Amino acid sequence: AEAGAAEFAAGGVVGLGESAVGIADVLTGNQVGKGLAVLGYDPSSANKILSSAYSEARQIANRNVEEAKGFFGTAQALVENPSAAFGAVMESAPGTVGIAGVARGVARSMLTKAGLKAGTAEATKFLTQPSVMAKLTAAGAAAEGLQTTGSIQEQGRQAGKEWLDTVLPSIAAGIGTAGIAFLTGKLLPDAEVKIAVNNMMQAEKKNLLQSGWEIAKGIFKEGALEEMPQSAQEQIFTNLALGKPWNEGVAESAAQGLVVGGLQGGGMIAGGDLMSNRRAEKEMSPEAKALTKEINEAAGLDQKVQQGKASDNEKARLNELTANIKARIEVLRQPGPEEEPRAPVVHVLGQA
């Protein structure tokens, strides 16, 4: 049967469960994993069952990627086999949701302590402060690091390795993953954090150019800056934990991090912008919608005036629109029954 997003995501759920068990293994000398194994816990078998649900075409695509050699060979294989790349994105989704959930919980706690209501202008201003974003990024990075540590530790236990063989590489990998996530989050906003606080801030409607730029930054940040070096160092420490050559599969893992991380980052930003745009449209009053329409029309006419290409009728229309815009802003500035007067949020074009 053809496997869809649900099957891929199910593999991610299994992986997230392995991470949770692995963290417990770190704390208990692998006793939690060993105890669960006695009760029938076997994620390897679960993954094999899930893989068997994939269509023949997707199994071939996965094999093409697995058999590719080197950084560029693996990157090319992922591009030529998009279903494998999509599957990897979906498999990472549960872990991503967990990271975003941690950041969201911290953000909600900070808003509560500050006495602010989510979705307001005050909450938006608070959450976008560099110091606040740094704390949210640190929380998300820590969650991502823990997932890495747990995953490698549990992989080692399932491979028959002793706790002492794997615990140090597992912890080192987790620290590396968290450190990369935090440092790159200082260069460009973290996609998981942006998704986490999206609904806590005022909705902002972005045009295609703005969204495209944000998506491009998300692809670059999550792929090249973050996931590529994270995947490489995670593979190195996995090799050390399992007793394999330290550089085995490192280039291939880096390529997967670049491609899959880029797809995931761009997708998260695109989804967040789409949700924000829809909220902005729903929350916009009829007066604000009319104002936006007139501002867009006036901007086009103003450009023609500046270029000396406007007719007398267009100049007259621009004057009319400018007067209308001023009047609408005055209406929007009027306070409601229990509101304070609002400051104007639009710069009005000058007279033609």
Side-chain angles (χ1 to χ4, degrees):
E2 181 71 19
E7 284 82 358
F8 286 121
V13 172
V14 173
L16 186 60
E18 283 185 282
S19 293
V21 173
I23 293 169
D25 285 342
V26 169
L27 299 174
T28 63
N30 285 353
Q31 293 306 306
V32 170
K34 291 178 180 179
L36 290 173
V38 172
L39 298 175
Y41 173 68
D42 188 357
S44 296
S45 296
N47 281 322
K48 289 179 182 178
I49 293 172
L50 290 171
S51 296
S52 67
Y54 298 165
S55 68
E56 183 178 354
R58 284 193 174 172
Q59 291 184 42
I60 292 173
N62 288 342
R63 281 199 300 273
N64 288 340
V65 174
E66 291 170 1
E67 293 172 0
K69 300 298 181 182
F71 180 88
F72 294 106
T74 302
Q76 181 179 351
L78 284 165
V79 172
E80 294 175 348
N81 298 272
S83 62
F86 171 77
V89 170
M90 293 307 299
E91 286 176 4
S92 66
T96 299
V97 171
I99 294 167
V102 170
R104 184 174 179 81
V106 173
R108 185 182 294 111
S109 175
M110 293 177 73
L111 284 177
T112 300
K113 290 181 180 178
L116 299 175
K117 182 180 179 181
T120 62
E122 292 77 11
T124 301
K125 183 178 180 181
F126 176 80
L127 289 172
T128 52
Q129 291 181 60
S131 60
V132 173
M133 288 301 297
K135 291 178 181 178
L136 298 179
T137 301
E144 191 171 1
L146 284 173
Q147 288 183 11
T148 296
T149 292
S151 177
I152 295 176
Q153 183 66 24
E154 179 58 11
Q155 284 183 57
R157 186 200 65 78
Q158 292 176 34
K161 298 295 181 180
E162 295 297 325
W163 182 82
L164 286 174
D165 296 330
T166 57
V167 67
L168 290 181
S170 298
I171 292 174
I175 292 173
T177 293
I180 292 170
F182 181 72
L183 291 176
T184 57
K186 283 184 167 292
L187 298 175
L188 288 172
D190 188 80
E192 287 93 345
V193 172
K194 291 190 72 172
I195 288 294
V197 300
N198 184 279
N199 289 336
M200 294 184 173
M201 299 194 293
Q202 273 190 319
E204 178 185 4
K205 187 171 177 62
K206 296 179 180 177
N207 59 38
L208 288 177
L209 183 60
Q210 290 172 319
S211 291
W213 177 239
E214 292 297 319
I215 291 170
K217 289 195 295 184
I219 292 172
F220 176 69
K221 191 270 180 187
E222 296 295 326
L225 290 184
E226 184 172 338
E227 290 294 335
M228 183 171 68
Q230 281 181 338
S231 298
Q233 66 93 29
E234 287 168 9
Q235 185 63 51
I236 290 172
F237 285 113
T238 298
N239 290 339
L240 295 176
L242 299 180
K244 297 180 179 180
W246 71 270
N247 60 345
E248 183 177 307
V250 173
E252 291 80 1
S253 292
Q256 291 207 32
L258 173 65
V259 176
V260 176
L263 287 174
Q264 186 179 38
M268 285 191 289
I269 297 299
D273 283 355
L274 179 61
M275 290 188 292
S276 184
N277 284 350
R278 287 181 175 176
R279 283 199 299 125
E281 290 175 357
K282 289 181 180 179
E283 294 171 4
M284 189 178 293
S285 66
E287 293 82 2
K289 290 181 180 179
L291 174 62
T292 300
K293 183 179 179 180
E294 290 187 339
I295 288 174
N296 290 334
E297 183 183 354
L301 292 174
D302 185 62
Q303 185 176 12
K304 294 184 72 174
V305 169
Q306 299 302 324
Q307 296 172 347
K309 299 178 180 179
S311 66
D312 289 340
N313 286 339
E314 288 173 326
K315 291 178 181 179
R317 175 58 177 163
L318 178 57
N319 288 335
E320 178 186 352
L321 286 169
T322 302
N324 289 346
I325 291 168
K326 288 181 178 179
R328 288 189 186 279
I329 288 176
E330 289 303 317
V331 171
L332 290 172
R333 290 182 64 190
Q334 298 304 312
E338 297 180 357
E339 297 178 357
E340 294 294 329
R342 289 175 287 181
V345 293
V346 180
H347 296 290
V348 182
L349 297 168
Q351 295 287 339

